[in-house]
Amino acid sequence: MPASAYDIVVIGSGPAGQKAAIQGAKAGKKVVLIEQEPGIGGNCVYRGTIPSKTLRETAVQYERLKRSSEVFEGKMRFDVPMTVLLHRLDEVVKAHECYMAGQITRNGVTYRHGRARLLSPHEVQLETVDGACQTLTAETIVLATGSRPSSIPQIPVDHEHVLDSDSILSMIYLPRSLTILGGGVIACEYASTFALLGVEVTLIDRAPRPLSFMDAEIVEVFQRSIERQGGRFYSGHTVTEVAWDGVSSVVSRLANGMAVKSEKMLVALGRRPNIEELNLEAAGLTMDEKGRIPVNEYGQTSVPHIFAAGDMLGRPPALASQAMEDGRRAVSYALGLPVGESLNQVPIGIYTIPEIASIGLDEEQAAARYRGPIIGRAPFTEIAKGQITGACNGLLKLVADPSGERLLGVQIVGENAAELIHLGQMALQDGAAIDRFIDTIFSFPTFAEAYRVAALDILGQRRKRQDDAQAA
Ligand SMILES: Cc1cc2nc3c(=O)[nH]c(=O)nc-3n(C[C@H](O)[C@H](O)[C@H](O)COP(=O)(O)OP(=O)(O)OC[C@H]3O[C@@H](n4cnc5c(N)ncnc54)[C@H](O)[C@@H]3O)c2cc1C
């Protein structure tokens, strides 16, 4: 078959690939988007963000129902099929598929279903489901093949009793107990969702605390919240062996000799880039010692017309929002279009219950860089909206420089944290002063009002520091 020529070939239709393809098409280029799965959207839609957040929403609604009808002492039945808990998933995925397919078609991107690999610096082989192969040529190639769950030999994932983040939602029934290995974002999100649904959750991690890259005080609020649901954290523990006992339990043995039993296990030990099958060498590309493709700030590899974007880069944060921006930036740069400033402040949203969100420096990072940063706190118990909605379990922290004037970061745990963080993000990007939050009228009652309360806390500390300095 003759080779088909394109300006841009994009491999992978997750958030990174989609945005790369659309950016190229909008610039008038002939673009083909290749995806090996039957639908457009990547892990984000089928195995990650969308399904996990749909289950989370069910858990949150269940909790609200319980809270508003405490007299009934309602409990989740354990023979509830997962399909019931995920009842809106099909609808949500279909809506997404429809929207994305429309966007791809509207912009004139050609979509091909099949597996792609590199044949040479400008050639990509497309193998379709019937085994037929076709060669596509391109001026620019964007690799956006995402990532998959990491595994380790001593913990055999059988996708029935021991599951990973790709298979956890294929469980037929809600389990009574679940051991979760790992203390990262996926582990903590699923831990809080299942705990809220009444599952006995045990989270085991080598690190001294879960989400160790986040502000310690913020994580503590989340940790206490799971413990109130009956969840347990075994931090600082290593699992040496995992086995299904053949009857009813998965048994995890810890290095200290302890054994933890549960009906199911979720292995959430991070993710690794989907790179091996791309045949990089044919295009003159190599992986680094960590198994990643080295790129510059635009995602450009050592072969200048080949770019990599999204989770396949294997660097944090592995977020859909970051992947989209990577895809857009890579193609803009390749086509010589304005790329915009490199966004080094990506908001982190963690959909635990309660949510966690972060932008800029946290307390520890600020203390390492500045002598005596001032931290303003707004516990949600002091926020009318928290009282009204019964969502008092929250805290917003503003991190300011030692003069208490400049905002360095915002850390939040609590209802709507992932939405609230954007106000802090805009303030940080605009270099807004702490006083800006004091001079602003916030609607009442809102959670956003927490910004003002935290800023007033900083103001108080700032004055005290000034008085102390004058007195000294
Ligand atoms: C459980 C879970 C929950 C998450 N929750 C969130 C969240 O709440 N918010 C958030 O921002 N992020 C979340 N993420 C992360 C988010 O899903 C990823 O960051 C995002 O999907 C990365 O996008 P991507 O385009 O790089 O890759 P992907 O979405 O992984 O897409 C890559 C695509 O490439 C295809 N592909 C791979 N190899 C080939 C090949 N050789 N040929 C053709 N096609 C190929 C794959 O089939 C896949 O469809 C979550 C992830 C998980 C696992």
Side-chain angles (χ1 to χ4, degrees), residues 20-320:
I22 288 168
Q23 185 70 17
K26 279 194 190 299
K29 299 294 170 187
K30 190 179 173 199
V31 183
V32 61
L33 177 65
I34 304 174
E35 172 56 57
Q36 64 188 5
E37 298 287 343
I40 299 175
N43 278 316
C44 176
V45 174
Y46 303 99
R47 299 193 188 94
T49 316
I50 304 283
S52 65
K53 261 82 267 180
T54 305
L55 182 67
R56 179 190 188 276
E57 195 51 34
T58 302
V60 169
Q61 280 178 15
Y62 165 64
E63 167 65 7
R64 280 196 195 121
L65 199 71
K66 260 199 337 189
R67 236 194 283 156
S68 59
S69 60
E70 263 162 10
V71 278
F72 302 126
E73 292 178 0
K75 273 196 175 155
M76 181 71 76
R77 284 167 43 185
F78 285 101
D79 54 359
V80 180
M82 285 296 289
T83 46
V84 170
L85 295 173
L86 289 164
H87 70 286
R88 285 181 49 252
L89 181 60
D90 279 353
E91 262 170 58
V92 181
V93 169
K94 273 199 193 97
H96 243 80
E97 275 174 351
C98 185
Y99 154 76
M100 287 177 311
Q103 210 182 27
I104 296 284
T105 319
R106 216 174 34 248
N107 283 286
V109 173
T110 304
Y111 169 64
R112 299 293 305 271
H113 178 203
R115 181 170 296 130
R117 64 200 288 269
L118 296 162
L119 286 181
S120 75
H122 282 283
E123 287 175 312
V124 173
Q125 183 191 64
L126 167 69
E127 184 185 355
T128 50
V129 269
D130 54 8
C133 288
Q134 189 187 358
T135 301
L136 314 178
T137 61
E139 293 291 314
T140 302
I141 296 173
V142 180
L143 311 173
T145 50
S147 63
R148 62 185 183 280
S150 293
S151 57
I152 49 175
Q154 63 271 38
I155 302 171
V157 175
D158 60 12
H159 301 295
E160 194 182 343
H161 311 292
V162 182
L163 303 114
D164 63 18
S165 60
D166 276 0
S167 54
I168 183 74
L169 300 184
S170 66
M171 286 187 300
I172 296 171
Y173 293 104
L174 188 66
R176 282 175 186 278
S177 52
L178 179 71
T179 303
I180 300 182
L181 285 195
V185 173
I186 293 173
C188 290
E189 287 188 357
Y190 275 127
S192 49
T193 294
F194 282 111
L196 208 63
L197 289 171
V199 176
E200 192 187 299
V201 169
T202 307
L203 195 135
I204 307 174
D205 190 31
R206 262 198 315 220
R209 63 183 178 90
L211 300 172
S212 47
F213 59 97
M214 299 293 292
D215 184 284
E217 187 181 4
I218 293 287
V219 174
E220 212 182 296
V221 174
F222 150 72
Q223 201 167 334
R224 278 203 309 268
S225 152
I226 291 214
E227 282 164 352
R228 271 200 298 276
Q229 306 287 340
R232 290 178 298 185
F233 286 90
Y234 290 143
S235 298
H237 285 279
T238 309
V239 173
T240 52
E241 196 194 339
V242 170
W244 165 243
D245 70 2
V247 187
S248 58
S249 308
V250 177
V251 184
S252 314
R253 300 214 173 271
L254 310 191
N256 66 355
M258 239 172 82
V260 179
K261 283 188 178 185
S262 60
E263 196 179 325
K264 302 275 180 190
M265 165 177 274
L266 166 63
V267 180
L269 296 173
R271 299 184 60 91
R272 45 195 291 227
N274 290 325
I275 291 185
E276 297 84 351
E277 292 186 6
L278 283 172
N279 196 27
L280 293 181
E281 311 72 43
L285 287 167
T286 45
M287 289 190 266
D288 65 15
E289 66 289 348
K290 289 187 177 155
R292 301 184 299 202
I293 302 181
V295 292
N296 67 11
E297 61 178 305
Y298 306 105
Q300 189 178 35
T301 66
S302 56
V303 179
H305 66 276
I306 302 184
F307 291 77
D311 275 14
M312 73 146 356
L313 292 172
R315 48 109 180 91
L319 292 172

Side-chain angles (χ1 to χ4, degrees), residues 417-428:
E419 302 281 353
L420 278 176
I421 200 69
H422 296 112
L423 190 54
Q425 178 185 14
M426 300 304 278
L428 256 186

Side-chain angles (χ1 to χ4, degrees), residues 435-459:
D435 288 20
R436 187 67 201 275
F437 294 113
I438 298 169
D439 302 336
T440 297
I441 296 175
F442 287 89
S443 292
F444 178 85
T446 55
F447 285 112
E449 208 205 337
Y451 277 96
R452 190 158 192 276
V453 172
L456 285 167
D457 185 21
I458 290 178
L459 185 68

